[in-house]
Amino acid sequence: MHAMPHRSWLGWALSAPGIIALFTLVVGPGLVTALLSFSDWQFGATSLNWIGFDNFVAMWHDETFRKAFRNTLLYICVVVPASVGLGLMLALLVESDPGLRAFYRAAFFLPVASTLIAMAVVWQFMLHPTAGLVNHVLSWFRVAPTDWLKNPATALWTIIAIGVWSKTGLAMVLFMAGLQSIPRDLYDAGQIDGIDEAWDRVLRITVPMLGPTTLFVLTISAIQAFQVFDTVQVLTEGGPNKTSEVLLHLIYSEGFSFFRAGYAAALTVVYLLVVLCLIQLQALVVERRVHY
Amino acid sequence: MASLALQAICKSFGETRVLDRLDLEVQDGEFLSLLGPSGCGKSTVLKLIAGLDHLDAGAIRLDGRDVARVAAKHRNVAMVFQSYALYPYMSAARNIATPLEMRRLSRWQRLPVIGRWLPGAASIHAGIDASVRRVAETVSLEQLLERKPGQLSGGQRQRVALARAMVRNPAIFLFDEPLSNLDTHLRKQVRTEIADLHRRLGTTFVYVTHDQEEAMAISDRVAVMEGGRILQLAAPETLYVRPDSVTVARFIGDPAINLIPAAADASGHVVADNTQIEFLVPGRSARALTLGFRPESLFPGARAGAMQLRMRLVSREYQGARCTLALETAGGSTVHAVLPAAESPAVKRGGDWQSWSIDRAQLLVFDSEGLRVDLASAVAGTISPSEEI
């Protein structure tokens, strides 16, 4: 083997495509967004003024932003635990019957694999106040029909229910993979040690062994839930009266419906900061607890 | 302590019949090994004894009581797994305590956090902690009790697994290839520790392994298994000196037994490599036979009273105290000899043919089915091997 001469230009040349892509697609736009958040630029305008922190101050007083923030938090706080819990339960059920495993996996994963926009349109039909399947079925149980998407009391909860439905499959598939990686020996050892009832088995072996998987699923679900947009855009557009407004949809309407690009940029900065916090929180928990 | 009897046990997985009417008796306090290649059914036997799998037919008796339908935890049997099967999220202490927690605490007392405060829980926990400490001492784990399995070495994990098995004083210990995840050096050390443990506890041990050396070194008796059947169940010495069949002979011993084709001539004498051996085979027909002898019963030069064959030295492996030699017979078979290093001849280029002697008392003859044939000596005054043993 000959010692290679130290040619740093080669290293730079080889990483150049990656570096250029990173800067043009991630770092550059990020910086531009951060800069725009301190301006009053309107989409399409040829000039702009620097207005300091005015956008952020305006945000603080903006009732719509507060609603969107609250709704997004509520969405996360319900969708994440519900879809992760349901996903775990389904994974345990499906894994216990190898015969129909493939069918159930496909059935529950379908909402994840398909386009949520298309699925949202289907939900729109199902939720139709007079012709929809949902009200029709509920009428059998003597539940009064309502316009789920136009009723301020139900609009956000309907979006949340669809969110749970669409995220459960992903959690289930990830948990199924996690379940399969638990060594069979551990259950055998448990059986000899006296861990032989289903409840003990789940609590003492399955759940702790799924620790790393659970954390991964929670993080993925939380970040995905934070990105809720398509269902809101198709089904309610944030209404009625902003009761189902969420952060990402608010950014979209400010930037591309009202063309207030500066304000949208400020919203985006806040949005990204929250995502960063979520990721940091996960990293912290990973180091603390789940490693064994 | 308990005796164990398996009576005509059968087990199939789907279409494959893994065990077919297998019988096995293990005496109280005995160290019995199940030895065989992978897939011979030895681990299945162990799982059936432990209660991790259901029998298709037959009975498993612990001290005379049929336990075939009894749940694993009520059989009073402990098992050490090949992978150790420790709970990775629990400390060593909690791993060892688990079998006691599951037995002594009620369902409610086992609940996390609240359980500890229920009446009676505190004193039971104190008792469990004392047992854990006592067992940890016997396997020198006192300093490592708070560590998680991930922070322990292979040998230490093995000891945690042993402690978890010992903590509730089971009637029978089951070992499923417990040493195969350790390196060679550690393997011998832990093997000795397990043998010591057996001496100290005096409990019945059933030990599964595919390593004949391991089984021979530590067992009172070894059951050699193949294809779901026990080929021979005997003390290690018997298996080595008087194997019932060619399969057992081949499986036991390292370097492996030498086997060369032979036949019985019209007079009933055994003939190998055109050399008539002064042994008679019962039954006069000319049959295909196999002649077997251990590497250490082969010596250079002609010895009085020994069987002699012409051989050529092919290679020599130096191993310190001894050498393993590879030789070619006139019939084209390769055989091995083990000699003290000082007595072993050097390999010469081209290699010349020389006489080698085989200790007659050590000769084994197997018939065409691979079963050992009892020999009668044709020479007056020579002791036949069957009489000697």
Side-chain angles (χ1 to χ4, degrees), chain A residues 185 192-193 197 200 204-205, chain B residues 83 87 89 103 107 110:
Chain A
D185 271 1
I192 290 174
D193 288 346
E197 283 165 38
D200 280 325
R204 291 201 163 229
I205 300 176
Chain B
S83 60
Y87 311 113
Y89 40 88
R103 280 174 176 76
R107 187 185 312 274
R110 285 202 303 268

Side-chain angles (χ1 to χ4, degrees), chain A residues 185-186 188-197 200 204-205 208-209 292, chain B residues 47 52 73 77 79 83 85-89 101-103 107 110 164 168:
Chain A
D185 271 1
L186 224 49
D188 282 349
Q191 224 177 316
I192 290 174
D193 288 346
I195 307 177
D196 57 355
E197 283 165 38
D200 280 325
R204 291 201 163 229
I205 300 176
M209 283 305 281
Y292 44 68
Chain B
K47 286 199 161 180
L52 298 175
K73 70 169 170 181
V77 163
M79 185 155 166
S83 60
L86 298 175
Y87 311 113
Y89 40 88
E101 285 180 7
M102 297 308 294
R103 280 174 176 76
R107 187 185 312 274
R110 285 202 303 268
R164 182 176 63 175
R168 59 195 170 87

Side-chain angles (χ1 to χ4, degrees), chain B residues 318-364:
Chain B
Y318 176 69
Q319 281 145 351
R322 57 177 210 178
C323 282
T324 301
L325 308 172
L327 300 142
E328 191 191 337
T329 69
S333 316
T334 300
V335 297
H336 292 93
V338 172
L339 289 171
E343 292 169 30
S344 89
V347 183
K348 289 189 192 121
R349 191 174 288 268
D352 40 354
W353 293 91
Q354 284 175 324
S355 272
W356 285 71
S357 302
I358 303 164
D359 189 351
R360 206 182 284 265
Q362 307 286 331
L363 274 178
L364 297 165

Side-chain angles (χ1 to χ4, degrees), chain B residues 74-155:
Chain B
H74 296 307
R75 290 194 187 188
N76 202 12
V77 163
M79 185 155 166
V80 175
F81 292 81
Q82 178 175 359
S83 60
Y84 316 134
L86 298 175
Y87 311 113
Y89 40 88
M90 291 183 189
S91 66
R94 291 244 15 239
N95 264 286
I96 301 171
T98 298
L100 296 183
E101 285 180 7
M102 297 308 294
R103 280 174 176 76
R104 294 190 193 165
L105 294 169
S106 71
R107 187 185 312 274
W108 299 109
Q109 287 168 331
R110 285 202 303 268
L111 283 177
V113 191
I114 331 161
R116 287 231 161 214
W117 303 100
L118 289 180
S123 71
I124 298 176
H125 273 289
I128 291 175
D129 289 346
S131 304
V132 169
R133 267 197 307 278
R134 198 168 52 245
V135 173
E137 252 170 61
T138 59
V139 292
S140 334
L141 274 174
E142 308 96 304
Q143 308 301 321
L144 305 170
L145 279 178
E146 290 319 308
R147 301 231 188 129
K148 300 252 173 89
Q151 301 163 305
L152 298 172
S153 71

Side-chain angles (χ1 to χ4, degrees), chain B residues 125-320:
Chain B
H125 273 289
I128 291 175
D129 289 346
S131 304
V132 169
R133 267 197 307 278
R134 198 168 52 245
V135 173
E137 252 170 61
T138 59
V139 292
S140 334
L141 274 174
E142 308 96 304
Q143 308 301 321
L144 305 170
L145 279 178
E146 290 319 308
R147 301 231 188 129
K148 300 252 173 89
Q151 301 163 305
L152 298 172
S153 71
Q156 290 165 340
R157 279 182 223 177
Q158 172 78 61
R159 297 218 295 276
V160 177
L162 271 175
R164 182 176 63 175
M166 285 163 63
V167 75
R168 59 195 170 87
N169 297 317
I172 294 184
F173 281 90
L174 306 174
F175 294 87
D176 189 7
E177 310 229 7
L179 306 185
S180 45
N181 284 352
L182 300 175
D183 61 52
T184 322
H185 174 72
L186 207 54
R187 205 175 294 174
K188 289 202 172 152
Q189 187 193 323
V190 177
R191 169 173 109 186
T192 317
E193 283 174 15
I194 291 177
D196 281 345
L197 192 68
H198 176 248
R199 257 190 301 281
R200 254 187 304 159
L201 299 176
T203 313
T204 313
F205 277 37
V206 180
Y207 189 101
V208 160
T209 179
H210 65 269
D211 182 344
Q212 57 92 21
E213 190 194 327
E214 203 173 291
M216 303 279 278
I218 52 178
S219 323
D220 295 326
R221 286 195 302 161
V222 179
V224 182
M225 289 186 66
E226 195 192 56
R229 291 178 308 125
I230 292 178
L231 300 178
Q232 189 173 2
L233 170 60
E237 296 82 356
T238 314
L239 287 179
Y240 190 76
V241 182
R242 309 258 303 149
D244 281 349
S245 63
V246 120
T247 322
V248 175
R250 237 190 236 129
F251 207 82
I252 305 286
D254 178 39
I257 191 167
N258 294 311
L259 296 167
I260 56 176
D265 67 8
S267 62
H269 284 83
V270 177
V271 179
D273 268 14
N274 293 323
T275 310
Q276 194 186 51
I277 302 158
E278 303 293 303
F279 280 127
L280 291 171
V281 189
R284 301 273 145 179
S285 56
R287 287 172 299 166
L289 300 171
T290 306
L291 193 66
F293 52 94
R294 295 285 174 190
E296 65 276 10
S297 56
L298 184 59
F299 303 99
R303 289 192 177 187
M307 168 191 166
Q308 275 149 38
L309 284 178
R310 303 284 288 170
M311 293 188 201
R312 190 167 65 168
L313 185 57
V314 180
S315 70
R316 176 180 185 265
E317 271 181 24
Y318 176 69
Q319 281 145 351

